[in-house]
């Protein structure tokens, strides 16, 4: 019975033995170790051919690999790496978890400098790991100072205490107060910072001279707005700028953009925010606010309750530059700085004087007075003219009103085939009007066989003339023009049913040139039109046409 018990004791794993590990080692460098399985008598346990687990006296995460083996006849040899810079031991545990033994104690020194590492309030340095940090950064308050630390570390975030490298700091809050550049003192540096813009932020640490060092991006932390402290007013063209460091009113602290000009007696929206001392929007808790100005203006509503933000309609009575506007509470405890807006006049209505009837080819004058919302003339206002119906044209499509708000435009119609109504749209600012002018033909004998030409004379005012004639039925047309001496200048022949020979009104355009393409001399020319069919003459008429260059 005792002999059998002795054989069982000999067959059991009792411990692991490490050959001595030299000291020191460098964090992140691999080195050789030998682990021997021993039985209860201290002999090599040759039957142990299974894996085992490695850890350190500070935890399993600091050694690679964590699993070794399988052992061969009770022995394992290989290379391991320890990442934590500290005095420690390596431990080996069998795959059942019942047997654990430790190596000798040896020192692990940090590796060469490799990176910067930032630790913020609420976090702790976690050397020997890839990230080097544990914990969650504390929330900060906008405008309050706090301290974080920058370390120089090896690849495994073990502090390297001898570095004096310089680094720069950059934050996602462009208004944060951070030193422009700092130098490490024995491998670390405490940094005092203040963030102003509420939100989620982080800091980037970059080397200035040492190109081999890796930059660091801090953990994300939250900056909360502070308590309600002041009022901010925004007019169209401006946007909120939380965290702004501007101070003076002319620097427009808390906002960006340029106020857009507004117009007399036309409401525009004004947005009011409650802000902390760093211009972050916060709840104002129900403060009563109202708009004020040193200029004649109306505000709707006259008074309102502010929680987060409120929109008030503002309307100024008269034009002028730099008209101020601000917001305050009834007791004057909270008052925004003054915002200045240019108030301009623009057309709200039009007074138009124009002829009811004109003859085709005559120039008509349209007089317009542009009035603002107060009924006052608007100087230097753009007044536009457009023919929307008919064959006429505006010789002046856009004009500026003069010093008494008046613009005079010219209307001309030379293309009318028959008497017609021409419609003209006139607009300035938000004023828009339509007028109608009756265009009468200068000669109503077109349908009785006469020739009509527009303009007549032509050349000084237009380079071409339009010649009209009316055919009761389609026929061949012989079209000729003679100079003052009876010499033929041009001749056209139009076939029956083709343009120029169709039943109804026909039009021929002459550019004042002879058949050789040369411009004719000024003078009185004769147009002769002869229409014929095999049954006889269908049209015969002459017309005197003036050419003035």
């Amino acid at each position: 019975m005792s002999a059998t018990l002795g054989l069982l004791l000999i067959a059991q794993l009792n411990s692991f033995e490490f050959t001595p590990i030299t000291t020191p080692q460098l964090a992140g460098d691999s080195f050789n170790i030998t682990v021997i399985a021993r039985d209860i008598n201290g002999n090599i346990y040759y039957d142990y051919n299974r894996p085992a687990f490695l850890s350190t006296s500070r935890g399993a995460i600091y050694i690679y690999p964590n699993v070794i083996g399988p052992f061969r006849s009770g022995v394992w040899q290989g290379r391991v790496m320890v990442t934590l810079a500290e005095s420690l031991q390596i431990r080996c545990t069998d795959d059942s978890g019942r047997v654990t033994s430790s190596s000798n104690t040896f020192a692990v020194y940090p590796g060469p400098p490799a990176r910067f590492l930032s630790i913020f309030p609420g976090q702790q340095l976690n050397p020997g790991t890839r990230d080097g940090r544990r914990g969650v950064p504390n929330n900060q308050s906008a405008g309050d100072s706090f301290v974080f630390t920058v370390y120089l570390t090896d690849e495994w975030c073990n502090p390297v205490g001898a570095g004096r490298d310089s680094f720069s700091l950059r934050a996602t809050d462009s208004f944060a107060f951070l030193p422009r550049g700092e130098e490490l003192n024995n491998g670390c540096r405490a940094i005092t910072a203040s963030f102003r813009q509420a939100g989620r932020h982080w800091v980037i640490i970059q080397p200035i001279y040492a190109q081999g060092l890796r930059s660091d991006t801090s953990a994300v932390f939250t900056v909360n707005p502070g308590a309600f402290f002041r009022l901010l007013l925004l007019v169209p063209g401006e946007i909120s700028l939380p965290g702004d460091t501007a101070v003076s009113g002319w620097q427009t602290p808390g906002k960006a953009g340029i106020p857009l000009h507004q117009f007399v007696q036309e409401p525009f929206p004004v947005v009011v925010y409650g802000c902390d001392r760093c211009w972050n929007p916060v709840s104002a808790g129900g403060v009563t606010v109202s708009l004020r100005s040193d200029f004649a203006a109306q505000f709707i509503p006259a008074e309102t309750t502010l929680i987060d933000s409120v929109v008030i309609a503002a309307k100024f009575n008269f034009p002028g530059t730099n008209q101020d506007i601000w917001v305050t509470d009834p007791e004057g405890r909270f008052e925004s700085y003054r915002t200045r807006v240019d108030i301009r006049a623009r057309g709200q209505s039009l007074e138009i004087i124009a002829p009811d009837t004109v003859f085709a080819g005559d120039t008509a004058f349209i007089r317009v007075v542009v009035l603002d919302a107060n009924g006052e003339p608007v100087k230097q206002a753009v007044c536009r003219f457009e023919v929307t119906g008919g064959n006429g044209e505006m010789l002046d499509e856009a004009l500026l009103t003069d010093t008494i708000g008046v613009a005079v435009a010219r209307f001309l119609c030379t293309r009318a085939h028959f008497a017609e109504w021409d419609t003209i749209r006139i607009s300035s600012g938000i004023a828009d009007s339509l007028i109608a002018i009756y265009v009468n033909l200068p000669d109503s004998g077109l349908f009785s066989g006469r020739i009509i030409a527009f303009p007549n004379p032509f050349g000084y005012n237009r380079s071409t003339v339009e010649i009209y004639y009316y055919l009761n039925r389609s026929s061949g047309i012989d079209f000729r023009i003679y100079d003052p001496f009876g010499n033929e200048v041009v001749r056209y022949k139009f076939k029956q049913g083709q343009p120029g020979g169709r039943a109804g009104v026909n039009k021929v355009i002459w550019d004042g040139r002879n058949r050789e393409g040369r411009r004719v001399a000024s003078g009185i020319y004769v147009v002769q039109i002869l229409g014929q069919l095999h049954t006889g003459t269908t049209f015969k008429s002459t017309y005197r046409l003036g050419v003035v260059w």
Side-chain angles (χ1 to χ4, degrees), residues 489-533:
V489 177
V490 292
R491 181 180 183 182
Y492 306 123
K493 282 189 171 292
F494 304 114
K495 293 182 179 181
Q496 181 182 1
Q498 300 296 315
R502 292 174 176 172
V505 177
N506 292 268
K507 178 177 70 173
V508 178
I509 298 176
W510 181 43
D511 61 1
R513 297 179 184 273
N514 60 23
R515 59 171 56 92
E516 286 80 26
R518 297 188 182 92
R519 179 183 285 184
V520 301
S522 298
I524 303 299
Y525 289 74
V526 176
V527 179
Q528 184 185 76
I529 301 175
L530 180 64
Q532 289 185 323
L533 290 174

Side-chain angles (χ1 to χ4, degrees), residues 176-511:
F177 289 106
L178 285 171
R180 297 175 64 88
E182 286 290 327
E183 183 180 83
L184 296 170
N185 183 12
N186 293 325
C188 68
R189 187 76 177 189
I191 304 296
T192 300
S194 174
F195 279 63
R196 294 176 56 85
Q197 191 178 83
R200 291 169 61 81
H201 293 289
W202 59 90
V203 175
I204 298 173
I205 299 98
Q206 294 177 305
I208 294 179
Y209 305 112
Q211 298 300 317
L213 296 179
R214 195 165 77 245
S215 301
D216 176 62
T217 299
S218 75
V220 177
F221 58 96
T222 299
V223 177
N224 294 321
F228 171 58
F229 184 77
R230 61 176 116 221
L231 297 172
L232 177 66
L233 179 149
L234 300 179
V235 298
E238 297 180 319
I239 59 172
S240 174
L241 193 60
D244 189 13
T245 55
V247 177
S248 301
W250 64 268
Q251 296 175 306
T252 64
K255 59 186 179 182
I258 299 174
L260 301 177
H261 60 259
Q262 303 299 324
F263 299 97
V264 171
Q265 297 289 359
E266 295 185 29
F268 61 93
V270 177
V271 184
V272 178
Y273 288 97
C275 296
D276 65 8
R277 57 195 173 103
C278 295
W279 302 105
N280 296 291
V282 295
S283 173
V287 171
T288 299
V289 295
S290 57
L291 297 184
R292 296 283 187 270
S293 178
D294 290 323
F295 296 80
Q298 292 90 44
F299 308 114
I300 302 174
E303 197 172 78
T304 187
T305 300
L306 174 63
I307 303 297
D308 297 319
S309 65
V310 68
V311 179
I312 301 174
K315 183 173 67 175
F316 281 79
N317 295 347
F318 303 103
T321 59
N322 292 324
Q323 299 201 36
D324 59 11
I325 184 172
W326 71 93
V327 62
T328 184
D329 70 320
E331 292 78 26
R333 296 171 302 160
F334 306 102
E335 184 174 295
S336 73
Y337 60 86
R338 283 161 170 73
T339 296
R340 300 190 180 276
V341 183
D342 289 346
I343 307 298
R344 300 181 181 181
R346 69 172 173 182
Q348 285 269 6
S349 61
L350 304 173
E351 291 183 354
I352 303 171
I353 300 176
D356 296 328
T357 304
V358 298
F359 285 107
D362 289 347
T363 301
F365 294 91
I366 303 172
R367 184 179 187 272
V368 180
V369 181
V370 179
L371 302 175
D372 66 14
N374 293 323
E376 297 294 328
V378 182
K379 305 173 185 178
Q380 298 297 301
V382 177
C383 194
R384 301 186 186 279
F385 303 84
E386 178 189 5
V387 176
T388 60
N391 291 287
E393 59 182 322
M394 293 302 307
L395 302 181
D396 306 294
E397 296 181 350
L399 295 172
L400 289 177
T401 57
D402 59 18
T403 55
I404 57 173
V406 175
V408 179
R410 296 167 298 164
F411 168 76
L412 177 65
C413 183
T414 60
R415 296 192 294 262
H417 299 170
F418 310 99
E420 65 181 30
W421 284 97
D422 281 28
T423 304
I424 302 169
R425 179 182 296 277
I426 305 171
S427 60
S428 181
I430 60 175
D432 191 276
S433 295
L434 292 174
I435 65 169
I437 296 179
Y438 185 73
V439 179
N440 200 358
L441 294 179
D443 193 332
S444 60
L446 181 68
F447 301 107
S448 60
R450 299 186 63 179
I451 300 170
I452 296 176
F454 299 103
N456 185 18
F458 79 101
Y460 71 97
N461 57 352
R462 191 164 174 177
S463 61
T464 61
V465 62
E466 297 177 359
I467 302 169
Y468 296 90
Y469 53 94
Y470 178 80
L471 301 179
N472 287 316
R473 57 189 294 191
S474 63
S475 62
I477 293 295
D478 187 1
F479 183 102
R480 305 185 189 196
I481 299 178
Y482 298 93
D483 68 12
F485 305 103
N487 299 310
E488 186 179 276
V489 177
V490 292
R491 181 180 183 182
Y492 306 123
K493 282 189 171 292
F494 304 114
K495 293 182 179 181
Q496 181 182 1
Q498 300 296 315
R502 292 174 176 172
V505 177
N506 292 268
K507 178 177 70 173
V508 178
I509 298 176
W510 181 43
D511 61 1

